[in-house]
Amino acid sequence: MNDIAVKCKHIWPGLGIATITGMAALFLSEHYNAPAMLFALLLGMAVSFLYQNNTPCACGIDFTASTLLRAGVVLLGLRIALGDLAVLGWQTALMLAMAIFTTIILGVVLAKSLGLQKRFGALTGGSVAICGASAALAISTILPKGENHERDTLLTVIGVTAMSTIAMVLYPIVAAQLGMSNNEAGIFLGGTIHDVAQVVGAGYSVSEDAGDMATLTKLVRVAMLMPVVLIMMLVVKRFYTASTAKNTADVPKMPMFLIGFVALMLLNSFVTLPEFVISTGTEISRFFLVVSITAIGMKSNLGKLAEVGMLPIVMIITETLWIALLILGYLYLM
């Protein structure tokens, strides 16, 4: 019991400052109509000195960037039900699956060709393909913890959040110029914009019907987070098993957050949960993810970010254009 008390004593300062900073990010997001994730990153980076030199906040910031992050990903399962796939139709669901996996493969190929680590390509590709910052955080937890792990996660979150915000403004204009119906616009917006909040904003800016379809399409993409993370984990395990030069302690094991995510998704699929339970869980998930992003920002090193240059941004832009062109091609053929 004393050990638990000591651990909590070390966690509270960092957890408290990350929570307060995350609440400030949410306040700014609501009042200035900008992504909360972006504000959380910027505010966290502004107070990164709180993590340096083993300050009393360091332990709690580490806890927030890992454990609280996993809890937020678990609660994402409440957003999804298997019935969403049936409503959307198997053709569109199959197209989304193809778009997701080809975008991830493109990310790995781009990373290799640009001289970056392949796991960084998998991270950016998965984030663009599935659900932006939330996917980046989930995927980063199962990738090997290398020297630049935190930096790569931060770069990915910044890139996909920025691209998602730009897409929220531009894509409804593209849909209008192409003369899309509400149904087509919803599939285009939900299938291409990275973050859920931006999908909702873009969809309902077109029409209520387009907003409903965009949200549904996006939730189907989010549902694919689980199989993607599982496949990535199996690939990483196989790589580490084949390479005797690697430390086997670094091989990722089946994460409990993934089991929790699946459990909540199945619960929401087969049990009619009260609306307030789903809405409360969704809001708590969003809050946990924003606070976790704040903590990751606090752990950032701006000097290391500057060393990478423009290559990660080029990768994320290319991946974003790829998935957009795939969905447009599908809509044109249909």
Side-chain angles (χ1 to χ4, degrees), residues 106-228:
L106 175 65
V108 174
V109 171
L110 283 174
K112 186 176 180 180
S113 63
L114 293 174
L116 300 173
Q117 291 181 321
K118 288 187 287 186
R119 64 187 177 191
F120 182 57
L123 181 63
T124 60
S127 304
V128 168
I130 304 173
C131 52
S134 301
L137 297 175
I139 293 170
S140 70
T141 61
I142 58 97
L143 292 177
K145 304 296 186 291
E147 179 184 355
N148 298 319
H149 182 77
E150 297 288 348
R151 183 203 68 185
D152 292 346
T153 303
L154 188 64
L155 279 168
T156 304
V157 170
I158 292 173
V160 295
T161 302
M163 289 304 300
S164 189
T165 304
I166 293 170
M168 180 181 66
V169 176
L170 294 182
Y171 284 10
I173 299 174
V174 172
Q177 291 296 316
L178 294 177
M180 292 183 183
S181 66
N182 288 331
N183 188 62
E184 291 169 339
I187 292 174
F188 172 61
L189 298 173
T192 56
I193 299 177
H194 311 327
D195 287 306
V196 176
Q198 277 81 352
V199 167
V200 172
Y204 286 104
S205 71
V206 175
S207 71
E208 186 172 342
D209 290 340
D212 291 342
M213 178 56 70
T215 304
L216 176 61
T217 304
K218 184 61 184 179
L219 289 180
V220 171
R221 285 173 70 194
V222 176
M224 295 181 187
L225 176 64
M226 182 270 293
V228 166

Side-chain angles (χ1 to χ4, degrees), residues 231-253:
I231 291 170
M232 282 188 179
M233 188 181 65
L234 293 175
V235 170
V236 171
K237 273 191 173 184
R238 184 174 180 179
F239 172 77
Y240 272 83
T241 302
S243 176
T244 56
K246 299 292 183 182
N247 183 0
T248 55
D250 291 334
V251 180
K253 300 176 176 61

Side-chain angles (χ1 to χ4, degrees), residues 7 30 57 63 74 97 103 163 172 193 195 284 295 299 318 324 326:
K7 188 174 182 180
E30 291 172 2
C57 295
F63 171 85
V74 167
T103 303
M163 289 304 300
I193 299 177
D195 287 306
I284 293 174
K299 296 176 68 175
T318 305
L326 278 179

Side-chain angles (χ1 to χ4, degrees), residues 8 14 25 38 53 73 82 105 112 115 118 160 197 212 226 280 296:
C8 289
L38 187 57
N53 303 320
V73 173
L82 295 178
I105 292 170
K112 186 176 180 180
K118 288 187 287 186
V160 295
D212 291 342
M226 182 270 293
T280 301
I296 291 173

Side-chain angles (χ1 to χ4, degrees), residues 63-99:
F63 171 85
T64 307
S66 57
T67 305
L68 206 66
L69 163 61
R70 290 174 172 83
V73 173
V74 167
L75 290 172
L76 280 176
L78 286 175
R79 291 183 178 184
I80 305 157
L82 295 178
D84 295 339
L85 292 171
V87 174
L88 195 62
W90 69 267
Q91 298 99 330
T92 303
L94 183 63
M95 175 59 208
L96 290 174
M98 186 182 77

